[in-house]
């Protein structure tokens, strides 16, 4: 309940332990309090003491511990203590005006009065305040006090060790009483430290210790000690103002607390001890400093109270003071600079809740200064960038200019050239004061017919240029008729300026304006319009693309000119936008037939589109891919095509563009038209993997084998493609690789070299990876074995060596014949293992394959014995076996040694028995 304090008593029983408690604490907090209730070290060499204080946070339980410790004279052993710990709720501790009042709650247990039940109930918070003893605190060494202030609050040094201080309890209570809430809650101190004291994660902030135990604190450098050397910055007249305020706050002995100018800001200070310096600097800044000092004060307040709802009274007061200081500054430039800087601070999140009140004052101040001091104000305006619509300073400037225009329009000339924002203002709303006749009545809608009639009769080129320059920036969406009159007589040299002005005011998106721009610009001055569009780095509207599209005739020749126009080289996005707009403006429905002819004839058309961005370009890519078939993609464009494919993920045309790219990529790889690095990057593309994971086997086979019929090099590239194929083809179930290899074997047998066999061998070895499916591995091995047995004139010994064991194990260990190996066998031979062994020996005996490969193909010892026996029954079998031994002995492969030893043994003792050879 509010105002109640829990308590704990520790002392010696079976060791130092908790004797009584009014509350149940979690184990971790209980251990912490028990440890800190005992002496921090041995009493050897330490002076006698009556009692001492320990203050520290118990975070997770929401308490702050205030403990008092006495020597226990009744204990059965020396050096024992009794500690009474008060557990003060955080909400009470951080707001307690007189923390020392808690001393009234301490009860020293004694042999005569010790009643443990007294410590098992919560205590009422005392209502009697206690202030430090003035006479006692006056005895404290002022040099040490100031050194402590400098180190702890000025430099943030923690921990601080204070040796030999009398009345340390009173010093501690005075320090704690002056701390702000967040620092008070995390502050830790002890007035009798016999060695360094620690919380769970850090040492105490302030440790008073007897001088006789100073050697126990040697782990801390001298900067952590409170000594008598007082820094000059805290002495006499050399001390700066914040230091004086700091000293006054902590050592004003006339009151327990020091009056604060901004109590809500005080409550927001972080637990960092040095935060108080910024607080006092805020008070110092608002005590009569220059205008910019108030801006600095706003920055300091923001650093201390970052949240938008924190310290609102302080923020409101300082913001309004800053506006007032700027408004009454002696120098107008300094005044406006101060107000502009205040505006910047008001826009920050931390001042959001007070910005409207202070911003209204700022707007009025700027308006007054601008209208009273136009010349000085104009000089300042030229030096800054302003937002006239959404800033208080900008709106104040606008209000001041309007006031100035109403009383002395000629003064507005001071602001000409005052920057883009002011120039736009003067050529817009305030142009009524700068233009003669027409501009004076521009905002009068009833007079608009007369104004337009007058404009239509103006024929002088210089006059019309002036009208366009002054009036176009003032137009709005309902002034399209006026714009049409202003564009009459537009010269080629004006195209860039006029189109640029129209773009800045958003006129391109007004209804009917694009038709005017096409009539007066695109068709009259196509080169100038394209040049202007090329100079606009970022097209804010697609209407620019449509206006540029109309600079080309909507014919096959016009489209060719657009594709070849060197103006767009280097402007990839603009070129794509113009082409897409041209194709869109061809009309609804399907494209004219010549668009498809041109797209098939010139891949540049699609190539340009896919390098663009935006929905307009995407819609035309979709339409082109859906309407035009037979598009071709040169191999040199494929890297960029697949970049576009990756970027198009999620769009409607993604699948079609990917299919088109793959139909070009696979034949290009077979033809060898792509270098190694681009080839690797393309094959590793996720889009390529996704297509290969779903494409039909017949479609993929056709793409690969279409090219290989006409050239042996292409045929070899087909094998290379299989060997280097993305892993997805090896992991598909069923894999298309057997079908592709079958097509490659069927297409061409002549010109088979060792390189092709090596590629096939590489593919087989890739299929051996644990990530590949067993069925794929077995299908590839069975296919390779059958082809090799039927084509012993080809250099396929290593292929047989790689594939035989897998097939043999699958056939002999399965109850039924695996489907992947069925092509290897006839219908009547029930012993498939025997048939395989016979075919293996026969194939090697009638081929030119390296003899050693025969025994590399059979890794199992028993299988090798059976193959050896069958080989010996062949004519010249022993000679073949010895040739195999010679072949193997020339190899440097580690696994060959075992085979060599076994083969030697079988040649030496060939009469061993083998079942079912």
């Amino acid at each position: 309940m509010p105002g109640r304090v829990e308590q704990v008593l520790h002392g010696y029983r079976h060791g130092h332990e908790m004797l009584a408690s009014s509350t149940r604490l979690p184990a971790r907090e209980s251990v912490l309090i028990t440890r800190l209730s005992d002496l921090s070290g041995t009493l050897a060499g330490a002076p006698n003491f009556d009692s001492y204080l320990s203050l520290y946070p118990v975070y997770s339980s929401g308490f702050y511990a205030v403990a008092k410790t006495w020597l226990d004279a009744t204990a059965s052993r020396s050096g024992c203590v009794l500690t009474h710990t008060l557990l003060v709720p955080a909400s009470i501790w951080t707001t307690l005006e007189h923390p020392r009042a808690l001393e009234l709650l301490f009860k020293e247990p004694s042999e005569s009065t010790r009643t443990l039940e007294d410590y098992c109930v919560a205590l009422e918070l005392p209502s009697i305040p206690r202030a430090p003893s003035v006479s006692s605190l006056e005895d404290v060494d002022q040099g040490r006090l100031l050194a402590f202030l400098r180190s702890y609050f000025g430099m943030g040094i923690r921990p601080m060790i204070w040796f030999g201080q009398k009345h340390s309890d009173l010093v501690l209570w005075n320090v704690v009483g002056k701390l702000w809430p967040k620092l008070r809650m995390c502050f830790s101190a002890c007035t009798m430290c016999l060695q360094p004291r620690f919380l769970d994660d850090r040492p105490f902030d302030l440790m008073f210790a007897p001088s006789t135990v100073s050697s126990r604190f040697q782990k801390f450098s001298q900067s952590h000690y409170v000594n008598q050397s007082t820094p000059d910055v805290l002495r006499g007249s050399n001390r700066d103002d914040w230091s004086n305020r700091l000293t006054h706050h902590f050592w004003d002995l006339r009151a327990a607390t020091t009056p604060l100018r901004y109590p809500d800001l005080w409550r927001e200070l972080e637990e960092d001890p040095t935060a108080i310096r910024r607080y006092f600097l805020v008070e110092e800044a608002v005590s009569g400093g220059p205008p910019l000092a108030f801006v600095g004060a706003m920055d300091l307040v923001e650093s201390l109270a970052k949240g938008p709802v924190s310290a609102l009274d302080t923020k409101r007061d300082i913001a309004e003071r800053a506006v007032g200081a700027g408004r009454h500054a002696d120098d107008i430039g300094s005044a406006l600079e101060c107000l502009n800087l205040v505006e910047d601070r008001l826009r920050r999140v931390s001042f959001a809740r007070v910005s409207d009140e202070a911003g209204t004052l700022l707007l009025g101040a700027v308006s007054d200064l601008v209208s009273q001091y136009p010349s000085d104000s104009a000089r300042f305006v030229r030096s800054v960038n302003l937002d006239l619509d959404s800033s208080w300073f900008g709106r104040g400037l606008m209000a001041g200019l309007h006031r100035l225009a109403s009383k002395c329009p000629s003064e507005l000339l001071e602001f000409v050239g005052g920057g883009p924002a002011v120039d736009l203002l003067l050529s817009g709303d305030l142009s009524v004061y700068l233009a003669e006749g027409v501009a004076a009545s521009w905002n009068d809608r009833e007079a608009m017919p007369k104004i337009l009639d007058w404009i239509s009769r103006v024929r002088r080129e210089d006059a019309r240029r002036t009208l366009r320059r002054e009036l176009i920036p003032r137009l709005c969406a309902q002034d399209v008729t006026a714009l049409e009159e202003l564009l009459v007589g537009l010269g080629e040299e004006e195209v860039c300026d006029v189109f640029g002005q129209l773009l800045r005011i958003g006129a391109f998106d007004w209804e009917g304006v694009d038709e005017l721009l096409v009539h007066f610009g695109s068709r009259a001055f196509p080169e100038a319009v394209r040049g202007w569009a090329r100079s606009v780095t970022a097209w804010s509207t697609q209407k620019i693309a449509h206006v540029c599209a109309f600079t080309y005739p909507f014919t096959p020749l016009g489209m060719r000119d657009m594709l070849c126009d060197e103006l767009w080289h280097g402007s990839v996005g603009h070129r794509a936008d113009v082409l897409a707009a041209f194709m869109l403006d061809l009309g609804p429905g399907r494209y004219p037939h010549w668009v498809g002819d041109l797209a098939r004839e010139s891949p540049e058309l699609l190539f340009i589109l896919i390098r663009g961005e935006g929905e307009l370009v995407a819609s035309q890519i979709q339409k082109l891919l859906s309407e035009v078939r037979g598009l071709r993609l040169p191999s040199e464009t494929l890297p960029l095509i697949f970049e576009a494919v990756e970027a198009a993920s999620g769009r409607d045309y993604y699948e079609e563009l990917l299919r088109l790219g793959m139909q070009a990529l696979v034949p290009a790889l077979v033809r060898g038209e792509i270098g190694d690095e681009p080839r690797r990057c393309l094959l590793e593309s996720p889009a390529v993997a996704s297509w290969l994971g779903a494409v039909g086997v017949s479609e993929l086979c056709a793409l690969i084998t279409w090219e290989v019929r006409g050239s042996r090099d292409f045929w070899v590239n087909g094998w290379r493609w299989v060997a280097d194929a993305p892993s997805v083809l090896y992991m598909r179930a069923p894999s298309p690789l057997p079908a592709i290899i079958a097509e490659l074997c069927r297409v061409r047998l002549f010109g088979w070299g060792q390189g092709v066999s090596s590629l096939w061998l590489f593919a087989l070895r890739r299929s051996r990876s644990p990530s590949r499916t067993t069925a794929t591995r077995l299908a590839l091995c069975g296919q390779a074995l059958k082809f090799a047995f039927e084509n012993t004139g080809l250099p396929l010994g290593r292929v047989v060596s790689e594939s035989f064991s897998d097939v043999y194990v699958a056939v002999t260990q399965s109850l039924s014949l695996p489907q992947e190996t069925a092509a290897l066998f006839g219908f009547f031979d029930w012993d498939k293992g025997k048939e395989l062994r016979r075919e293996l020996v026969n194939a090697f005996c009638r081929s030119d394959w390296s003899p050693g490969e025969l025994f590399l193909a059979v890794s199992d010892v028993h299988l090798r014995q059976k193959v050896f026996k069958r080989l010996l029954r062949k004519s010249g079998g022993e000679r073949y076996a010895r040739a195999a031994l010679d072949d193997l002995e020339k190899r440097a492969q580690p696994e060959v040694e075992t085979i060599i030893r076994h083969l030697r043994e079988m040649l030496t003792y060939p009469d061993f028995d083998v079942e079912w050879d």
Side-chain angles (χ1 to χ4, degrees), residues 477-712:
Q478 58 187 329
D479 294 328
V480 176
T481 303
L483 175 61
E484 182 175 6
E485 288 295 343
L486 288 171
L487 289 177
V488 172
L490 178 69
E492 185 173 5
E493 71 281 359
E494 293 181 84
V495 167
C496 286
D497 291 336
V498 171
F499 276 49
Q501 288 178 329
L502 292 172
L503 181 62
R504 284 192 289 273
I505 64 173
F508 274 71
D509 292 321
W510 298 346
E511 185 175 356
V513 169
D514 53 343
E515 298 177 5
L516 295 179
L517 299 180
V518 167
H519 177 74
F520 291 102
S522 301
R523 291 188 174 132
F525 313 110
E527 296 294 335
V529 171
R530 294 174 203 163
W532 166 78
R534 174 69 172 80
S535 68
V536 179
T537 54
W539 289 6
S540 58
T541 172
Q542 292 291 349
K543 292 294 183 66
I544 298 178
H546 287 282
V547 170
C548 288
F550 275 90
T551 63
Y552 301 94
F554 290 93
T555 63
L557 182 59
M559 195 172 196
R560 289 179 186 276
D561 290 341
M562 181 188 304
L563 296 177
C564 300
D565 197 338
E566 295 183 358
L567 176 69
W568 303 111
H569 288 177
S571 301
V572 175
H574 293 176
R575 190 177 195 179
D577 288 343
V578 174
L579 177 56
F582 183 97
M583 298 170 71
L584 178 65
D585 291 333
L586 286 171
R590 297 180 64 86
Y591 291 134
H593 68 88
W594 52 264
V595 173
D597 295 340
L598 187 57
R600 283 185 288 268
E601 173 189 338
S602 174
E604 183 73 9
L605 193 152
L606 178 60
F607 184 69
I608 291 172
L609 285 177
I610 65 171
R611 298 173 72 189
E613 298 177 354
E615 292 302 320
L616 174 61
V617 173
S619 66
Q620 296 311 302
I621 295 176
Q622 171 70 23
K623 186 176 181 182
L624 182 68
L625 293 177
S626 62
E627 291 186 12
V628 181
R629 298 300 176 185
L631 293 175
R632 295 183 301 104
L633 297 176
S635 58
E636 62 271 13
T637 67
L638 289 176
L640 186 59
I641 292 291
F642 278 89
E643 287 183 14
V645 168
E646 296 286 354
S649 179
R651 292 195 176 274
D652 293 339
Y653 62 85
Y654 172 79
E655 294 293 339
E656 188 63 25
L657 184 59
L658 174 58
R659 183 189 63 81
L660 187 63
M662 291 303 300
Q663 287 179 345
L665 173 60
V666 175
L669 291 174
V670 174
R671 293 192 297 269
E673 295 175 346
I674 299 179
D676 291 339
E677 183 61 22
R679 171 194 180 95
R680 182 187 61 79
C681 294
L682 288 171
L683 291 179
E684 291 177 357
S685 166
V688 171
S690 68
W691 186 85
L692 290 174
V695 64
V697 174
S698 59
E699 181 180 354
L700 183 57
C701 288
L703 288 175
I704 295 173
T705 58
W706 181 261
E707 300 289 342
V708 303
R709 291 181 175 87
S711 167
R712 182 186 181 279

Side-chain angles (χ1 to χ4, degrees), residues 339-405:
L339 293 173
N340 192 37
L341 293 174
V342 171
E343 157 103 10
D344 175 70
R345 274 66 182 171
L346 290 178
R347 289 185 170 278
R348 299 175 182 175
V349 174
S350 59
F351 283 91
R353 293 296 183 89
V354 303
S355 59
D356 286 341
E357 304 165 49
T360 302
L361 296 176
L362 188 148
L363 187 153
V366 173
S367 177
D368 290 345
L369 291 173
V370 169
S371 61
Q372 294 174 26
Y373 307 100
S375 180
D376 294 330
S377 299
R379 280 195 293 271
F380 175 78
V381 167
R382 290 189 183 93
S383 66
V384 295
N385 294 322
L386 298 175
D387 183 348
L388 298 182
D389 296 324
S390 60
S391 69
W392 291 289
F393 193 100
R395 282 178 281 159
L397 173 61
M398 293 172 63
L401 291 175
H402 279 90
R403 290 168 60 184
L404 188 63

Side-chain angles (χ1 to χ4, degrees), residues 772-818:
R772 318 304 187 216
T773 64
T774 304
T776 298
R777 168 69 177 174
L778 188 56
L780 289 173
C781 289
Q783 179 189 45
L785 204 57
K786 178 175 175 56
F787 182 83
F789 286 170
E790 295 174 350
N791 296 273
T792 55
L794 301 179
L796 297 171
R798 290 191 298 163
V799 171
V800 174
S801 175
E802 174 66 21
S803 56
F804 181 83
S805 289
D806 293 77
V807 175
Y808 186 88
V809 170
V811 168
T812 56
Q813 293 184 1
S814 176
L815 296 177
S816 59
L817 182 66

Side-chain angles (χ1 to χ4, degrees), residues 723-744:
D724 295 341
S727 297
V728 66
L729 289 179
Y730 286 85
M731 292 185 287
R732 277 183 60 174
S735 173
L737 289 176
I740 297 173
I741 292 175
E743 282 295 311
L744 290 172

